[in-house]
Amino acid sequence: IKMPHKQLQVQNLKLSNAGVYTCEHGSRKVRTTLHVFKLTISLDGHFLQNEAPELILMQNSSSSLPDLSITLFDSNNNRVTPEVTTKSRQKYILSLKKLEAMDSGTWVCQVHSDSPLIKQNISFPVKVLGFQNPDLERKYATVNSTVILSWHLNSQKIKWKEGFTGQLNWKQQEGANAHELLDFSVPAQGQLHETKKSSNFLFEIPQRNHESAIEVKLPKVHFNHSGQYQCQLLYQGRHAQNKIELVVMKVSANPVGPLSRGANMTLTCQVSGPLPPNAYLRWERVNGTKMDIKNSKQREVKLEMNISAAGLWSCHLIENGDRKLSLHYHVEEAPVWINYVIIGASVGGSLLAFALGCLCIISGSSWHRRRQRAKRMSQARQYLLENKTCQCQQ
C-alpha cells in the first residue's frame, strides 16, 4: 500500500489477480473491479525473416467475460489484419503474416469492448533478424570486371543480442551442386567473423566496411561465375536465406580481326542466365544509323548481328527502359594495302582459274581430235581387210 493516498499496488500482475477489490474506511466501502489481460507472442518475439508469429490474448474477470474486438498495428503504425484461429471468451489465438526485416519494432494490440467499456492498448516488441536486401536481387557484370556481392543484416540496427551463424553458398543453376564459399558467425554481443571455405573458386573477402554486411569480391569475373549466390542465416535450428543472382555478359566476333572492305563479320552478345520478361539485348554502332541497331527477342540470351561496317559496336542489356549493362567491341578496318592484296589475290585467282579452264578446253579438244583420227584409221583398216577377203574368194 502506497501512502499517503492509500493506493494498492499489485506487482507482477497475473490472470489470477483479477477480481473485485474493496477498500473499507469505517462504514464506507468502495469496490473496484480489476480486469486482467495477458498477451504472449511466440518465440518470445525473436523471429527470422519469413517466419509468421502467433499471438495469444487471454483475459480474466470476476464477472462474465466480454466479447473482445482486437486490432493490431505494426512498428510503422500500419493496421494489420490477423487470422483468428481460436476464439473463446477467455482465449484468442491470432496468426500473423510472414515478417520482413523492416517489421522490427514496437507493435500495439488494441483491445476494445462496449460492455463493459474497455479500451486498452498493449504494446509488445518484435525483433526480426534478416536481410535488408530485396529478395532474389539481380546483379549484372561483364567478363573480366570486378564485382562485390553484399548482404546487409539488420542485427546491429535491431540490437540483436543473441548469437547466430550462417554460410554463403553458390551454384550455377537450379538443381546443380552447391559450393560453400564461406562460413560466418556472430557471438552474443560480438562482431562478425568470416571463414573462407572454398579453395577452387577465385574470390576474396573484402576489408570490412560495415559491421553487419556479408561480402564476397570477384576481382576478375568469368563467364562461368554466374549463378545464384545464397546467404543463409542459422539460429536455434531455424534458418532464413537471401539470394543474389549474378548475370555475366560477354561479346565476341567471327571472324576475329580487321574487317576488309566488302566483307562481313558476325558479332555475338551473350548473357549467362535467363532474363526477366522486361529485359532484352541490343546491338548498335556508336554514331551509326537506325540500320545499325538490332534487338533480341523476349527471353533471348544470345544475340547475333551480321555487320559490314567497321567502328565501335556496343551491346546493351536493357531492363525497364534502363541500360543495366554495356559492353563494347571495336571492329577495326583493314589497311588499304590489305585490301589491295585481297583484290590482287582475287584477280590472280580468277586469272589462274581462267587459264586452267582454257588449258583444260585445249587439252580436251586435242584429245577429242586424236580419238576421232584413231577411229577413222580403224574403220579404214577394217574396210581394206574386208576387200582383201573378197578378192581371195574370187
Side-chain angles (χ1 to χ4, degrees):
I1 297 178
K2 296 178 65 176
M3 301 299 289
H5 301 291
K6 303 297 188 294
Q7 292 177 338
L8 175 64
Q9 185 179 53
V10 183
Q11 297 178 342
N12 298 322
L13 200 63
K14 301 177 182 178
L15 287 173
S16 58
N17 295 134
V20 178
Y21 289 77
T22 304
C23 180
E24 297 184 5
H25 182 68
S27 61
R28 296 185 59 187
K29 292 183 180 181
V30 178
R31 289 181 174 83
T32 300
T33 301
L34 178 62
H35 195 114
V36 180
F37 295 102
K38 181 181 180 182
L39 180 68
T40 58
I41 184 170
S42 58
L43 300 175
D44 197 26
H46 288 69
F47 301 95
L48 292 181
Q49 195 171 358
N50 291 325
E51 288 184 334
E54 186 178 75
L55 294 177
I56 300 177
L57 178 66
M58 300 187 70
Q59 63 173 333
N60 192 16
S61 176
S62 59
S63 58
S64 61
L65 297 175
D67 188 13
L68 300 177
S69 173
I70 302 173
T71 307
L72 292 178
F73 296 90
D74 63 12
S75 58
N76 299 312
N77 203 30
N78 297 319
R79 185 169 180 169
V80 178
T81 303
E83 179 185 357
V84 181
T85 57
T86 299
K87 180 180 179 180
S88 65
R89 289 296 178 94
Q90 185 178 11
K91 184 176 183 180
Y92 296 78
I93 299 180
L94 312 175
S95 296
L96 277 68
K97 63 179 179 63
K98 293 182 178 181
L99 297 175
E100 299 295 334
M102 64 183 68
D103 293 325
S104 294
T106 301
W107 289 48
V108 175
C109 178
Q110 190 177 85
V111 182
H112 177 78
S113 172
D114 291 329
S115 179
L117 182 60
I118 298 174
K119 189 175 182 181
Q120 182 74 33
N121 290 337
I122 306 173
S123 61
F124 58 97
V126 174
K127 290 188 177 182
V128 185
L129 179 63
F131 302 91
Q132 297 174 244
N133 302 53
D135 191 29
L136 193 56
E137 180 181 358
R138 184 177 287 104
K139 194 156 188 176
Y140 299 108
T142 59
V143 291
N144 297 325
S145 65
T146 298
V147 65
I148 296 179
L149 305 178
S150 300
W151 288 263
H152 297 276
L153 299 174
N154 65 340
S155 57
Q156 294 286 332
K157 185 177 180 180
I158 64 176
K159 297 180 181 179
W160 189 274
K161 296 183 179 181
E162 307 291 331
F164 61 89
T165 61
Q167 60 187 24
L168 177 61
N169 301 319
W170 163 69
K171 56 183 178 180
Q172 284 192 278
Q173 56 188 2
E174 287 290 343
N177 293 329
H179 304 276
E180 186 177 353
L181 300 185
L182 59 89
D183 286 343
F184 61 90
S185 62
V186 180
Q189 298 181 342
Q191 293 184 346
L192 183 66
H193 298 286
E194 296 168 324
T195 304
K196 190 172 180 179
K197 300 290 290 185
S198 177
S199 59
N200 57 357
F201 186 81
L202 183 61
F203 75 96
E204 301 173 2
I205 300 177
Q207 187 175 359
R208 182 159 307 286
N209 295 322
H210 306 284
E211 287 296 330
S212 56
I214 309 298
E215 295 183 333
V216 59
K217 177 181 178 181
L218 282 67
K220 193 172 183 180
V221 177
H222 297 168
F223 193 70
N224 59 358
H225 285 168
S226 62
Q228 291 185 351
Y229 293 77
Q230 178 178 276
C231 190
Q232 188 176 70
L233 286 176
L234 305 174
Y235 174 70
Q236 293 185 352
R238 295 130 56 198
H239 68 274
Q241 61 257 350
N242 184 273
K243 294 179 182 179
I244 296 179
E245 185 171 1
L246 179 63
V247 179
V248 183
M249 175 193 284
K250 67 177 181 179
V251 295
S252 59
N254 184 29
V256 179
L259 181 63
S260 303
R261 185 176 302 173
N264 291 326
M265 177 184 288
T266 301
L267 297 179
T268 302
C269 180
Q270 186 175 357
V271 291
S272 57
L275 296 176
N278 53 355
Y280 62 93
L281 299 174
R282 169 183 288 177
W283 267 119
E284 66 178 8
R285 185 162 67 102
V286 178
N287 298 326
T289 64
K290 292 183 178 180
M291 301 297 294
D292 298 325
I293 298 177
K294 184 179 180 181
N295 295 331
S296 67
K297 297 178 181 178
Q298 193 177 33
R299 297 187 179 275
E300 196 172 34
V301 298
K302 185 177 181 180
L303 178 61
E304 294 182 344
M305 184 173 186
N306 294 322
I307 66 168
S308 58
L312 184 62
W313 290 82
S314 300
C315 180
H316 307 292
L317 195 157
I318 301 175
E319 184 178 358
N320 290 327
D322 297 328
R323 292 183 180 180
K324 296 293 185 180
L325 200 62
S326 295
L327 194 56
H328 307 293
Y329 192 92
H330 184 67
V331 179
E332 296 182 356
E333 187 175 3
V336 178
W337 65 269
I338 292 183
N339 291 326
Y340 289 152
V341 168
I342 295 174
I343 294 173
S346 300
V347 173
S350 300
L351 291 175
L352 180 60
F354 178 74
L356 290 175
C358 292
L359 182 60
C360 290
I361 292 172
I362 294 171
S363 300
S365 299
S366 178
W367 177 78
H368 183 69
R369 286 195 298 271
R370 286 197 301 270
R371 186 176 179 185
Q372 292 293 335
R373 190 182 302 113
K375 185 177 180 180
R376 287 195 298 269
M377 290 176 65
S378 176
Q379 290 176 351
R381 283 195 299 270
Q382 183 68 26
Y383 176 75
L384 291 174
L385 183 60
E386 290 176 354
N387 287 342
K388 287 181 181 180
T389 304
C390 292
Q391 291 173 0
C392 292
Q393 289 178 352
Q394 290 175 357

